[in-house]
């Protein structure tokens, strides 16, 4: 590699060349960046100085492979982590969306792999919140970081033993997941009038990821036929707060898919939480009453039910009443007809 311009030309061939031999030669020339830790500093130099998105993307993907597959020193991993936070804060607003996604994936991967190695890795939620206090572009980056962080923590990584993955996933659940759910609900409240916006999509997706987390490590709570969701007892105050359910009914009422259907999916999750989270029967019935009230209003108005995605999720919501609360679906229908 003689200079940055040569590197950028090779990267463009990797991503754009129609000549398989030319593309293979470029890939072979550049593979050292993802296999040799001595090239990490050069990857950072490329991120700071390259002009083409192809070069930036290759540098980011090379660092991801290095972080995932190489046994890097703790200090080097901390340096990469701190570099990424600063880079996203300063350069993030000018980057293509796919580059932001790649860099955020790298940040979240290094966070997960170093979760127990140093307290700094567990500061990522706090640092994400600093993005949420800024303008729209930074706000979106903060929400994207938290979305990807939950995905990374919730999925096993081939380089980690399953036991270590579960230790990290459970620690993240206990230390950070409730805080992220609260952040998502605050964001949904702040963005309520910004109907149909990308920020609304990100905030709602974040809430859904929190509610879809594999709390018990069985990997089946995110499937279509999941049963009771075993949320931690510490979530009880926020779950029982009436505004928690109401925000999702409100988002459903004024939006179209995918936002409206995701709002219903959040309600399906909330209707599936374990019964034992409630201290007594009175609290449980109060919660059920709020769920039934919002569901009955959808039945009465029929709003959104002509859309297949909404209709599908609404049927799932009705099914949760039957499974988790032993409420006959016909009861809701009769209540609607009486009005």
């Amino acid at each position: 590699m003689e200079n940055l311009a040569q590197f950028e030309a090779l990267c463009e061939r990797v991503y754009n060349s129609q000549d398989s031999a030319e593309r293979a030669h470029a890939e072979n020339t550049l593979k050292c960046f993802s296999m040799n830790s001595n090239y990490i500093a050069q990857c950072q130099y490329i991120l700071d100085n390259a002009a083409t998105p192809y070069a930036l993307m290759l540098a980011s993907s090379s660092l991801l492979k290095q972080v995932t597959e190489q046994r890097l020193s703790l200090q080097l991993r901390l340096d990469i982590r701190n570099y990424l936070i600063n880079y996203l804060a300063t350069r993030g607003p000018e980057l293509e969306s796919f580059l932001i996604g790649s860099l955020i994936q790298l940040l979240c991967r290094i966070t997960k792999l170093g979760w127990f190695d140093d307290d700094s890795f567990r500061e990522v939620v706090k640092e994400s919140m600093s993005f949420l206090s800024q303008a729209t572009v930074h706000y979106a980056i903060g929400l994207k970081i938290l979305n990807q962080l939950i995905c990374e923590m919730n999925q096993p990584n081939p380089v980690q033993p399953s036991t270590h993955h579960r230790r990290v996933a459970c620690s993240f659940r206990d230390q950070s997941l409730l805080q992220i759910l609260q952040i998502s609900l605050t964001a949904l409240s702040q963005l309520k009038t910004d109907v149909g916006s990308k920020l609304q999509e990100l905030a709602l997706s974040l809430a859904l990821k929190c509610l879809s987390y594999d709390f018990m490590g069985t990997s089946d709570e995110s499937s279509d036929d999941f049963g009771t969701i075993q949320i931690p007892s510490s979530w009880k105050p926020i779950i029982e707060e009436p505004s928690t359910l109401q925000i999702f009914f409100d988002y459903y009422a004024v939006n179209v898919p995918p936002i409206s259907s995701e709002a219903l999916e959040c309600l399906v999750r909330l209707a599936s939480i374990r019964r034992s989270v409630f201290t007594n029967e009175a609290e449980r019935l109060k919660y059920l009453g709020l769920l039934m009230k919002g569901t009955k209003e959808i039945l009465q108005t029929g709003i959104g039910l002509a859309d297949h995605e909404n209709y599908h999720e609404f049927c799932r919501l009705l099914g949760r009443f039957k499974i988790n609360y032993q409420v006959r679906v016909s009861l809701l229908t009769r209540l609607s007809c009486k009005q």
Side-chain angles (χ1 to χ4, degrees):
M1 296 300 299
E2 296 179 356
N3 52 48
L4 186 57
Q6 181 187 4
F7 176 86
E8 290 178 325
L10 285 170
C11 291
E12 185 163 0
R13 288 176 201 148
V14 168
Y15 291 105
N16 284 340
S17 178
Q18 301 300 310
D19 185 326
S20 59
E22 184 181 57
R23 187 170 61 252
H25 177 265
E27 289 173 347
N28 187 60
T29 303
L30 296 172
K31 67 181 182 181
C32 56
F33 286 87
S34 61
M35 299 178 65
N36 189 334
S37 60
N38 292 329
Y39 283 83
I40 288 178
Q42 293 190 41
C43 286
Q44 294 180 356
Y45 174 83
I46 292 162
L47 286 170
D48 287 333
N49 295 281
T52 69
Y54 308 112
L56 297 175
M57 187 65 189
L58 192 131
S60 176
S61 60
S62 296
L63 284 173
L64 178 65
K65 191 168 184 180
Q66 291 262 20
V67 164
T68 304
E69 299 179 0
Q70 305 294 329
R71 296 181 64 86
L72 305 180
S73 70
L74 173 60
Q75 187 57 55
L76 181 54
R77 286 181 286 138
L78 286 170
D79 289 344
I80 295 172
R81 174 202 174 279
N82 294 335
Y83 171 83
L84 289 169
I85 291 289
N86 292 328
Y87 190 87
L88 287 167
T90 56
R91 295 282 304 277
E94 67 191 56
L95 296 176
E96 300 281 354
S97 180
F98 67 89
L99 280 172
I100 294 175
S102 178
L103 291 165
I104 288 174
Q105 182 185 16
L106 171 59
L107 172 63
C108 294
R109 178 69 53 82
I110 204 169
T111 296
K112 180 178 182 180
L113 295 177
W115 189 256
F116 289 125
D117 296 337
D118 191 279
D119 290 346
S120 296
F121 290 107
R122 296 192 289 275
E123 292 292 308
V124 66
V125 176
K126 179 181 177 182
E127 289 162 334
S128 298
M129 291 176 66
S130 68
F131 286 84
L132 301 179
S133 63
Q134 300 180 56
T136 300
V137 178
H138 282 92
Y139 198 106
I141 292 174
L143 292 176
K144 288 177 180 179
I145 291 173
L146 294 175
N147 269 280
Q148 181 60 37
L149 182 62
I150 295 178
C151 289
E152 190 70 42
M153 291 297 187
N154 207 25
Q155 295 176 355
N157 191 305
V159 304
Q160 283 185 318
S162 59
T163 52
H164 184 73
H165 159 70
R166 281 314 305 165
R167 284 183 61 225
V168 174
C170 290
S171 175
F172 173 75
R173 174 199 66 196
D174 296 339
Q175 295 186 32
S176 302
L177 195 58
L178 177 58
Q179 182 184 9
I180 296 176
L181 176 62
Q182 291 170 322
I183 290 171
S184 72
L185 293 173
T186 298
L188 287 170
S189 179
Q190 293 173 342
L191 299 167
K192 198 171 179 179
T193 59
D194 202 7
V195 177
S197 69
K198 184 62 178 178
L199 290 180
Q200 276 197 345
E201 287 187 34
L202 288 168
L204 192 57
S205 175
L206 184 58
L208 181 57
K209 285 183 173 66
C210 290
L211 296 169
S212 304
Y213 198 76
D214 186 8
F215 295 102
M216 300 301 292
T218 57
S219 299
D220 61 2
E221 289 181 345
S222 58
S223 65
D224 285 338
D225 59 350
F226 64 87
T228 302
I229 294 179
Q230 303 293 327
I231 65 166
S233 299
S234 59
W235 289 35
K236 180 177 180 291
I238 198 169
I239 293 298
E240 290 185 338
E241 170 58 46
S243 62
T244 299
L245 287 173
Q246 190 59 48
I247 193 70
F248 298 112
F249 282 116
D250 290 344
Y251 265 66
Y252 171 77
V254 298
N255 282 287
V256 297
I259 294 179
S260 58
S261 55
E262 281 202 356
L264 279 179
E265 192 173 353
C266 288
L267 288 165
V268 172
R269 297 280 168 176
L270 288 167
S272 306
I273 62 173
R274 60 187 175 92
R275 299 173 65 176
S276 56
V277 77
F278 302 102
T279 305
N280 52 55
E281 189 68 9
E283 290 180 350
R284 179 173 169 270
L285 289 175
K286 180 180 178 181
Y287 183 77
L288 174 59
L290 293 171
L291 271 170
M292 292 183 69
K293 178 177 179 292
T295 305
K296 185 181 70 172
E297 288 175 357
I298 295 175
L299 277 172
Q300 288 174 325
T301 62
I303 187 169
L305 295 182
D307 183 274
H308 176 75
E309 292 180 55
N310 288 341
Y311 185 78
H312 173 70
E313 292 301 332
F314 188 72
C315 289
R316 293 181 70 210
L317 178 57
L318 294 179
R320 300 318 302 173
F321 282 109
K322 181 178 180 181
I323 293 171
N324 209 33
Y325 296 95
Q326 288 78 54
V327 175
R328 292 173 60 190
V329 175
S330 59
L331 173 60
L332 281 170
T333 305
R334 290 201 303 270
L335 285 172
S336 176
C337 292
K338 288 179 179 179
Q339 300 300 318

